[in-house]
Amino acid sequence: MSARALDITRLGGQGDGIAETPEGQIFVPFTLPGDRITAAVDKGRGTLISLIEPSPDRVTPPCPHFGADSDEAGCGGCAMQHVADAAYRDWKRNLVVAALEGRGIMAEVGPLVACAPGARRRVVFAVRRTDKGSILGFNRASSHQIVPIETCVVASERINQALPAIRRLATAVAVGKEAFRLSVLDTLSGFDLAVDAPFKLSEADRLRISASVRKETGVTRLSFNGEILIEIQPPQLVFGDVAVNPPPGGFVQASEAAETLMGELVTTHLKKSKRVLDLFSGSGTFALRLAQQSHVHAVESDGPSLAALDKAARRSPGLKPVSVEKRDLLRRPLMTAELKTYQGLVFDPPRAGAEVQVQDIARSTITRIAAVSCNPVTLARDLEILVKGGYKITSITPIDQFLWSSHVEVVALLERSKR
């Protein structure tokens, strides 16, 4: 490993600064175009040592845990807090533009819709037991090292206020030496904590953890590897006007504000569709909103999420009929013949996208489609299939649901061209 001076000329897709050298590109985290730096370089990767001349777009990060020179050695939860707002927004929007252009799609991409700090209602912490107790925080970038945190500027104020209690409960759960994940969801009825761990609990551990939860205010449920250990009352979210009790560890959009905007875009686009399909429906983020105006058939592979959707629809008067189907769309997609009775469709697949399913959608007669994704690259691939099948993109909206990270949510709206 050698130390050398570098000029950063552009940002990569993961937020690292890139220096062009005769030996090739060197990627350096926590840098940006216009920086002249000294870095320790090894095999195309650099570690920032010092700033010789900072970029005019460099700003002071709002979080004390951020960056290569922080006292905590750099929390890896955020990658872009050192970039001025305008430059940051341009970079993030261009992630979507570049993905589309890579597939030959020249559709106009709207301005990035900002999400404010403190908007995250769902946060996933890393936890590890040590000889001195337990560490709760986030993994350092490109490392298994957990950086302990005392505050998180992207998390909701309620989560930040509850961090001492969350840390105590994490310590109660940490019976094994292996690191584990603790997902915290801020719901209307309290915090829903879901542990995903590689170790097992004894019956005594379960009783002790349950007793610990009862001592803490604000925690409504704690589950361990999908099993509910204690539920004081069901966690509750609202999708549109419909109350839902999500299952332990079930998928939920990270920001309520972003979810609301996505819901408005989707429901407005599909409002003239009498019958609508919601594919990869989860617990009903879109289905329960759409059911206020259309008959909805929701398809999802996760049984508990689908059950939560079905229960919420059944106990909510005034909705149009909602039917549900448990089906792994990545392995067994809906065939073109099964799509012929629907006029509208929304799909929000995992990061891998919905390539196989989209091929059948492209051959269908569905008039309007809303495509939602947190991965612009796989979304662009899926949109290319739909465009070749005769659909026209009418709008693309990037949403900064994952503030200061390299992830961006996108809602693309399409209509079938007249044949």
Side-chain angles (χ1 to χ4, degrees):
M1 183 176 291
S2 61
R4 57 189 295 185
L6 298 172
D7 291 307
I8 305 300
T9 57
R10 62 189 180 92
L11 286 171
Q14 298 301 312
D16 294 341
I18 300 176
E20 304 286 351
T21 75
E23 297 82 23
Q25 295 178 341
I26 298 175
F27 294 80
V28 188
F30 308 120
T31 63
L32 64 154
D35 279 343
R36 181 165 177 77
I37 67 169
T38 302
V41 178
D42 182 32
K43 298 179 181 178
R45 297 291 300 178
T47 301
L48 179 63
I49 296 175
S50 64
L51 278 169
I52 300 172
E53 183 179 340
S55 166
D57 288 323
R58 180 172 284 276
V59 297
T60 301
C63 177
H65 301 288
F66 176 84
D69 57 350
S70 73
D71 293 338
E72 290 80 7
C75 161
C78 295
M80 304 297 291
Q81 289 188 19
H82 59 302
V83 186
D85 187 62
Y88 165 74
R89 292 192 186 191
D90 286 344
W91 169 76
K92 203 154 208 185
R93 176 182 175 274
N94 284 334
L95 293 176
V96 182
V97 174
L100 294 172
E101 290 182 351
R103 289 283 177 171
I105 299 172
M106 308 309 292
E108 178 64 26
V109 177
L112 180 74
V113 178
C115 283
R120 288 285 293 268
R121 65 181 176 188
R122 178 171 59 83
V123 181
V124 181
F125 294 105
V127 183
R128 182 188 293 275
R129 179 184 174 183
T130 71
D131 293 337
K132 297 181 180 180
S134 64
I135 300 174
L136 180 141
F138 299 107
N139 287 107
R140 186 181 182 185
S142 304
S143 170
H144 294 296
Q145 178 189 350
I146 300 174
V147 178
I149 66 161
E150 299 300 326
T151 185
C152 178
V153 294
V154 301
S156 71
E157 182 179 357
R158 277 170 34 100
I159 290 177
N160 276 298
Q161 291 175 345
L163 276 177
I166 293 170
R167 190 175 291 107
R168 287 192 293 270
L169 291 175
T171 300
V173 172
V175 299
K177 293 183 178 180
E178 302 93 337
F180 63 92
R181 294 190 304 168
L182 174 62
S183 176
V184 179
L185 177 62
D186 186 358
T187 79
L188 295 176
S189 54
F191 297 109
D192 182 17
L193 308 185
V195 175
D196 183 7
F199 50 82
K200 297 181 179 180
L201 299 177
S202 67
E203 189 60 33
D205 291 330
R206 295 167 185 271
L207 293 174
R208 177 179 50 78
I209 293 168
S210 296
S212 298
V213 171
R214 295 182 189 278
K215 295 177 182 178
E216 304 290 354
T217 59
V219 178
T220 188
R221 180 173 69 188
L222 189 146
S223 60
F224 184 87
N225 291 345
E227 177 189 355
I228 297 175
L229 298 187
I230 180 172
E231 184 175 86
I232 296 171
Q233 59 177 325
Q236 186 178 91
L237 299 173
V238 174
F239 297 153
D241 295 326
V242 181
V244 181
N245 303 126
F251 175 76
V252 173
Q253 296 292 346
S255 161
E256 183 179 4
E259 178 196 276
T260 299
L261 173 59
M262 288 188 280
E264 290 173 353
L265 289 170
V266 171
T267 54
T268 300
H269 185 59
L270 302 181
K271 64 182 179 181
K272 294 182 179 180
S273 304
K274 291 184 178 180
R275 294 176 58 84
V276 173
L277 270 170
D278 181 0
L279 306 185
F280 309 95
S281 65
S283 296
T285 302
F286 299 114
L288 296 171
R289 287 177 163 90
L290 289 164
Q292 296 178 352
Q293 61 192 28
S294 306
H295 292 217
V296 179
H297 183 60
V299 186
E300 168 61 47
S301 63
D302 182 65
S305 294
L306 201 63
L309 189 166
D310 185 48
K311 182 179 179 180
R314 291 177 183 276
R315 68 186 181 192
S316 301
L319 296 182
K320 301 287 187 179
V322 176
S323 55
V324 298
E325 179 180 354
K326 186 177 184 299
R327 183 164 175 170
D328 186 345
L329 293 168
L330 300 179
R331 295 174 177 270
R332 192 166 65 91
L334 289 170
M335 306 303 288
T336 304
E338 298 176 87
L339 304 175
K340 62 183 179 180
T341 61
Y342 300 95
Q343 298 81 44
L345 181 148
V346 57
F347 66 95
D348 184 9
R351 287 187 59 81
E355 182 177 12
V356 177
Q357 178 61 81
V358 166
Q359 290 172 356
D360 280 285
I361 296 172
R363 294 189 290 266
S364 75
T365 58
I366 289 174
T367 306
R368 292 173 178 263
I369 295 173
V372 183
S373 176
C374 62
N375 187 342
V377 174
T378 55
L379 174 64
R381 179 203 62 204
D382 294 346
L383 291 180
E384 180 187 18
I385 296 170
L386 293 172
V387 169
K388 288 181 177 179
Y391 285 92
K392 177 183 178 182
I393 298 172
T394 60
S395 73
I396 297 177
T397 305
I399 303 168
D400 196 14
Q401 176 163 221
F402 308 100
L403 184 63
W404 294 316
S405 79
S406 60
H407 302 295
V408 56
E409 197 80 32
V410 187
V411 178
L413 306 179
L414 303 95
E415 296 180 1
R416 177 165 282 291
S417 302
K418 294 183 179 179
R419 301 193 178 189

